[in-house]
Amino acid sequence: MTVSAAISMKNVLESLRAEYAKSHPSGDITFNFGGSGALEFQIENGAPVDLFISASTKYVDALERKKMILAGSRTTVATNQLVIIAPEKNSGIHSPNDLLNRSIRRVAVGDPKSVPAGSYAAEALKNLRLFDRLASKFIYGNDVRQVLTYVETSNADAGVVYTTDALESKNVRIAVQLPDSLHDPIMYPAVIVAASKNQAEAKAFLEFLSSDSARAIFSRFGFR
Amino acid sequence: MDYSPVWISLKVTLAATGCSFLLGILAARWRMEYRGSFGWLVDGAIVLPLALPPTVVGLILLLIFGNSSPIGIFFSSWSLLFTWRAAALASFVVSFPLMYLTTRAAFQQIDPILIDTARIEGLSGWKILWRAFVPLAWNGIAAGTTLAFVRGLGEFGATLMIAGNIPGITQTMPLAIYSSVEAGEPSAAVIFSLVNVLISVCALLLVSFFEKKRA
């Protein structure tokens, strides 16, 4: 069975597969990791995929409109949150307003037009009435990983990424956790592809992803 | 560490370079003879993958070979998507222009009198190609093949689109580099980058060694 999944879930899904193999020794899961948009386009064009785990509801909605997903299979397997991060040595950010401090010269965020984490960040900062006031400090990354790298290398004094990304890096620290109420929920929906020839297997893995043991692994990687 | 990306990369790139080598020579030879008015169109179509971002090349290949197009339906029994052959196709499409352009330029440098002599002596078209064109243009052909190999080895965007990023099946070195960087494991990325560079340098050295031997 082939699972196409957002590359941001690589580490957690590999752990989940190892856990799943304990109770399903015969199940053989192959991962295809990439950007959610590209994965959706592959499925639309007939790539042999059984289960699709997206980093955004947008791409699953698109497949749903085209009736390419198994009805009733849509499940939210995880959620995520936004955090403000800073390079390890740097301190002084205790609230979002501290981003206005003169010592913070550059703030890295994902490009709000193309990077989901960036559009959530923009939404949250707009609700805090900070977006326009920080406009001159923003540097835009092409993906969350780039934002993380800017901060890791101190090329940016602060950045906004998902909790899960911040936990993966040893060279940044979480300065502020942004409340969920500031932005639309960050959800990771999973669906079974209608054309899948392994729907029973896909269903079993999808059910496992909602189990208690899977939830424990998700939270170990910072997902909720 | 899993070294399968090295072997997959070599398999994919050698297959793609083999195709580029044969088809590049044939296409360049055909283009030398063709006097019609659509030559620019053929050249444009061949060179297009050099001009376009590889991701766009991948999108186009996915549209052509996906099951929503007539060609894709024709190929559907062959199930190309997500196989190493799809990776080889992506590698071929982006590296073929380099082979074609270099070989064509080398053919144009050949003194036409030599070709005419071969023709007068009654050699067939195939014999003229393999006995006259190829040996006379060998340095150019070797350079084109090397360029195609090195470009094919580094191919990423189009491969990710049509072959997927499946460890052990289609995950070439560039895809493994992408995956490990995204997963916050840069050490694997560094190793594969070094192997990639090493193989490319070896290919270049091999060609210059043979060039010296001939000279």
Side-chain angles (χ1 to χ4, degrees):
Chain A
M1 156 170 93
T2 303
V3 178
S4 276
I7 184 105
S8 53
M9 304 192 92
K10 180 175 185 283
N11 290 337
V12 68
L13 280 174
E14 280 170 353
S15 290
L16 285 162
R17 176 171 63 181
E19 179 66 25
Y20 182 72
K22 286 180 195 162
S23 51
H24 298 75
S26 61
D28 186 17
I29 296 174
T30 311
F31 285 128
N32 170 40
F33 292 115
S36 300
L39 299 175
E40 187 250 330
F41 196 71
Q42 290 172 338
I43 293 168
E44 242 178 64
N45 285 283
V49 175
D50 302 298
L51 186 67
F52 174 40
I53 308 177
S54 167
S56 158
T57 52
K58 187 167 110 187
Y59 305 107
V60 171
D61 292 344
L63 285 180
E64 199 159 31
R65 273 197 300 275
K66 290 177 178 137
K67 305 212 183 326
M68 298 188 79
I69 65 177
L70 186 67
S73 67
R74 185 170 176 156
T75 314
T76 300
V77 294
T79 60
N80 214 337
Q81 295 154 293
L82 287 182
V83 289
I84 298 174
I85 54 167
E88 205 151 33
K89 287 173 213 156
N90 194 332
S91 60
I93 304 172
H94 307 289
S95 80
N97 278 325
D98 291 336
L99 292 176
L100 295 167
N101 290 352
R102 199 172 291 171
S103 61
I104 308 297
R105 283 161 303 146
R106 293 200 191 93
V107 179
V109 292
D111 182 348
K113 287 200 191 77
S114 60
V115 183
S119 71
Y120 289 124
E123 192 188 350
L125 292 172
K126 273 175 194 158
N127 283 328
L128 289 165
R129 314 237 173 280
L130 284 173
F131 189 80
D132 293 329
R133 294 161 76 190
L134 290 171
S136 62
K137 295 187 177 189
F138 286 138
I139 42 175
Y140 291 128
N142 284 327
D143 55 31
V144 180
R145 179 60 52 183
Q146 211 166 20
V147 175
L148 200 58
T149 307
Y150 286 145
V151 181
E152 277 176 340
T153 55
S154 297
N155 283 306
D157 306 301
V160 183
V161 296
Y162 296 131
T163 308
T164 49
D165 300 303
L167 290 179
E168 265 177 20
S169 169
K170 291 185 194 81
N171 302 317
V172 299
R173 63 171 191 88
I174 295 177
V176 179
Q177 175 107 46
L178 292 172
D180 292 343
S181 55
L182 290 174
H183 53 77
D184 283 342
I186 303 168
M187 294 195 290
Y188 294 79
V191 288
I192 298 172
V193 178
S196 159
K197 293 189 179 82
N198 307 307
Q199 292 188 352
E201 266 181 83
K203 201 160 174 251
F205 187 62
L206 191 52
E207 274 166 14
F208 162 76
L209 292 179
S210 306
S211 69
D212 286 342
S213 55
R215 303 254 44 92
I217 293 172
F218 271 121
S219 60
R220 205 168 77 220
F221 285 85
F223 289 98
R224 286 211 305 204
Chain B
M1 206 176 119
D2 174 16
Y3 286 98
S4 67
V6 179
W7 313 123
I8 293 169
S9 265
L10 283 174
K11 175 168 77 172
V12 163
T13 313
L14 286 173
T17 312
C19 293
S20 283
F21 178 80
L22 290 173
L23 294 175
I25 290 172
L26 291 176
R29 173 76 184 92
W30 170 80
R31 193 66 185 82
M32 291 289 289
E33 293 292 304
Y34 181 74
R35 295 277 176 271
S37 41
F38 293 104
W40 61 273
L41 202 64
V42 175
D43 287 349
I46 289 176
V47 176
L48 201 62
L50 269 189
L52 289 172
T55 308
V56 177
V57 175
L59 287 171
I60 294 170
L61 289 175
L62 198 49
L63 285 173
I64 294 174
F65 291 97
N67 65 359
S68 50
S69 83
I71 301 173
I73 291 165
F74 178 77
F75 278 109
S76 65
S77 57
W78 208 43
S79 56
L80 180 78
L81 298 182
F82 285 17
T83 62
W84 78 270
R85 294 188 307 272
L89 176 72
S91 184
F92 165 74
V93 168
V94 299
S95 60
F96 179 72
L98 294 167
M99 178 67 197
Y100 169 74
L101 290 176
T102 319
T103 305
R104 202 181 139 202
F107 282 178
Q108 281 165 342
Q109 297 294 314
I110 296 173
D111 189 342
I113 294 168
L114 293 173
I115 305 300
D116 286 341
T117 315
R119 199 166 283 143
I120 290 161
E121 288 194 9
L123 289 182
S124 72
W126 285 108
K127 277 196 173 148
I128 292 174
L129 177 60
W130 299 117
R131 294 259 194 83
F133 272 103
V134 170
L136 288 169
W138 185 249
N139 282 349
I141 290 172
T145 311
T146 320
L147 279 175
F149 177 82
V150 171
R151 174 65 187 88
L153 193 67
E155 167 45 37
F156 171 73
T159 313
L160 184 60
M161 269 295 173
I162 61 165
N165 175 18
I166 303 171
I169 300 171
T170 64
Q171 191 179 70
T172 58
M173 284 192 282
L175 296 179
I177 292 167
Y178 159 71
S179 286
S180 52
V181 168
E182 291 289 326
E185 297 152 359
S187 57
V190 171
I191 292 172
F192 286 127
S193 303
L194 289 175
V195 174
N196 210 327
V197 170
L198 196 72
I199 295 174
S200 301
V201 170
C202 285
L204 291 168
L205 287 176
L206 203 70
V207 170
S208 62
F209 172 76
F210 280 115
E211 271 171 9
K212 276 204 194 98
K213 229 181 161 182
R214 282 170 53 87

